[in-house]
Amino acid sequence: MSKKSKRSKVTPRTTAEWVSLIISLLLLACVVGIVVKLWVSETAKPARFKIETGAARNEAGQFYLEFTLTNEGDQTAAEVTVEGRIGDAGNEETSSTTFDFIPGHARHQGVLVFSVEPANAQLRVASYQQP
Amino acid sequence: MSNIESPWRNELDDLMRGVAGAFLFGIPFLYTMEVWWKGNFTSPQRMIFALLLAYAALLALNRAAGFRKEESGPWNRTLGDSAEALALALVTSTVSLAVIGVIQLDDGLDATMGRIIMESVPFSIGIGVANNFLHKAQEGDGESSSKGKDATSHQWHDHSWHGTLADAGATALGATLIAFSIAPTDEIPMIAAGLPPARLLLIIGTSLLLSYIIVFEASFGMQQARIEQPGIFQSPITETIISYLISLLMAMAMLWLFQLLRAGDPASQWLSYVIVLGLPATIGGAAGRIAF
């Protein structure tokens, strides 16, 4: 009995099997296609950052300044340190935060905290590591 | 087990078994942040290599054991079946990474692909093992073992309490085994931190679904015996829910043991940590029930 079922199952694929095979192959083609596209278009531009500051909110006398950091390069940056600075020499306040990883073309959000209204805060990426 | 199943039902069974295997073997890697991190800066060449590696492992597993209940057929069949398994691994790794919030739309395409592809390697091997060996073992000694099961289930009939306790114990043991290895790691706070409340519901749903699939849909051989086993756990839905609760309890115990949760921590932290660790714990619990 087991032999019989064995034989009948080696015969051509059923419709169900064909459908799942075709869907699988399409999915694989997509994945391989994307990877190949990444490979071909791999210019490996080094990390380059854009910072957009959002609105600051006042929480118990501290100002929380939100910002969005975008890596416009292709390469991943690690330990990306963003530094914010307000005021002028002598009366300066700085604040900083570090992102573990910012992959190429990724956007991440962060917050810097200041004790005075950070309307004229200047944000910049101070450093990063190449993983 | 009837041989006269419809081909669609058969295909669905294979799919469910693959999903079950992927998570049984892949869950420890899903909760390993180094795998996600390395995925962040994996070159396309390495991604291709990882895909080839997964495909080669599947070919070897499928070839060694024969796929889909029959002896190994012609090579083109093996090639196709391995491709299906690899596609399933990629889908399950994508879905699971998305559920725990490790891949998001904001991440760049190459980082996302890197994470998915790296995670799909252990998932592929899980699918290959589940399809070939777990399933095979059951079929190898079909008649004789079902007789054995009859005998045991008769014994159980007199002691439905034993059945319930055995299931609860197996769930707790399996859940503890997996949760113990994941609880002390930084992944739990890290995953929990990024999750909005709605996502927690999704994780609960996923945990229940996977537990149900592993125990009742994956045809690992115990289903019939499980359904016949008396006790409070009798209905599949009830069993799944109670097992989930037991797994959550074990997850909570492990988190407390490793001091990730302390008495003074806010309730939302307790909730999110326990639910996040509950996913692997439930899968361990389900594995425990099919193993015993």
Side-chain angles (χ1 to χ4, degrees), chain A residues 1 9 11 13-14 16-17 19-21 24-25 27-28 34-35 38-39 42 74 76 101 103-104 106-108 131, chain B residues 3 7-8 11 37 40-41 44-45 48 68 70 77 80 83-84 86-87 90-91 106-108 110-111 113 117:
Chain A
M1 183 203 131
K9 276 182 181 166
T11 51
R13 292 168 187 276
T14 61
E17 285 176 336
V19 168
S20 64
L21 178 64
S24 306
L25 289 179
L27 277 171
L28 281 184
I34 292 172
V35 174
L38 288 174
W39 190 345
E42 196 189 25
D74 295 317
T76 297
F101 285 99
R107 291 157 56 86
H108 286 227
Chain B
N3 280 329
W8 288 100
E11 203 58 26
W37 282 353
N40 275 340
F41 44 92
Q45 292 90 317
I48 295 282
R68 280 197 220 297
E70 81 257 42
R77 173 60 67 112
E84 279 180 30
L86 183 56
L90 287 163
V91 171
D106 277 355
D107 297 327
D110 42 356
M113 292 309 288
I117 289 172

Side-chain angles (χ1 to χ4, degrees), chain B:
Chain B
M1 302 271 139
S2 63
N3 280 329
I4 336 154
E5 285 170 337
S6 88
W8 288 100
R9 179 71 217 174
N10 244 329
E11 203 58 26
L12 187 69
D13 280 350
D14 284 342
L15 195 69
M16 291 297 137
R17 191 161 48 248
V19 170
F23 280 95
L24 281 174
F25 288 82
I27 200 80
F29 300 92
L30 185 62
Y31 277 59
T32 304
M33 57 184 150
E34 284 75 7
V35 178
W36 325 326
W37 282 353
K38 299 296 174 193
N40 275 340
F41 44 92
T42 304
S43 64
Q45 292 90 317
R46 284 201 172 85
M47 292 185 207
I48 295 282
F49 179 76
L51 286 173
L52 288 175
L53 187 70
Y55 192 63
L58 283 167
L59 281 182
L61 283 167
N62 287 339
R63 206 58 200 170
F67 196 58
R68 280 197 220 297
K69 308 160 198 177
E70 81 257 42
E71 294 311 308
S72 16
W75 262 102
N76 64 357
R77 173 60 67 112
T78 311
L79 291 174
D81 288 342
S82 303
E84 279 180 30
L86 183 56
L88 182 61
L90 287 163
V91 171
T92 45
S93 91
T94 308
V95 171
S96 54
L97 285 169
V99 164
I100 62 169
V102 171
I103 51 173
Q104 286 159 351
L105 291 176
D106 277 355
D107 297 327
L109 185 63
D110 42 356
T112 308
M113 292 309 288
R115 290 172 182 185
I116 293 172
I117 289 172
M118 286 304 157
E119 210 65 72
S120 73
V121 176
F123 278 45
S124 298
I125 294 172
I127 295 172
V129 170
N131 274 330
N132 295 307
F133 297 102
L134 298 184
H135 190 57
K136 205 76 182 170
Q138 160 228 350
E139 225 154 283
D141 48 0
E143 303 292 305
S144 59
S145 82
S146 75
K147 233 180 234 167
K149 265 173 218 155
D150 271 353
T152 30
S153 64
H154 273 298
Q155 264 185 354
W156 287 127
H157 266 295
D158 300 330
H159 312 281
S160 71
W161 263 107
H162 281 196
T164 307
L165 278 181
D167 277 344
T171 306
L173 275 178
T176 306
L177 187 67
I178 301 283
F180 195 87
S181 65
I182 298 179
T185 66
D186 278 343
E187 277 75 6
I188 301 300
M190 185 164 250
I191 294 171
L195 294 176
R199 196 60 76 78
L200 292 176
L201 290 179
L202 192 62
I203 294 182
I204 295 176
T206 310
S207 309
L208 288 168
L209 188 66
L210 285 173
S211 163
Y212 180 81
I213 287 176
I214 290 171
V215 179
F216 294 103
E217 288 291 331
S219 324
F220 284 147
M222 295 297 288
Q223 273 90 346
Q224 214 48 42
R226 291 218 62 80
I227 290 165
E228 285 160 10
Q229 182 154 322
I232 302 176
F233 275 30
Q234 207 165 29
S235 117
I237 305 287
T238 319
E239 167 169 342
T240 304
I241 292 172
I242 295 178
S243 308
Y244 184 55
L245 296 177
I246 293 174
S247 304
L248 286 182
L249 207 63
M250 298 323 291
M252 192 189 292
M254 294 302 118
L255 288 166
W256 178 81
L257 180 68
F258 287 110
Q259 301 175 54
L260 272 87
L261 289 175
R262 297 162 202 249
D265 291 334
S268 61
Q269 185 188 338
W270 278 78
L271 191 69
S272 60
Y273 281 25
V274 169
I275 290 173
V276 167
L277 185 57
L279 175 62
T282 316
I283 290 170
R289 272 174 294 144
I290 55 172
F292 290 104

Side-chain angles (χ1 to χ4, degrees), chain A residues 81-94:
Chain A
T81 303
V82 175
E83 198 180 71
R85 187 183 296 270
I86 42 176
D88 33 43
N91 187 22
E92 206 177 50
E93 184 178 349
T94 59

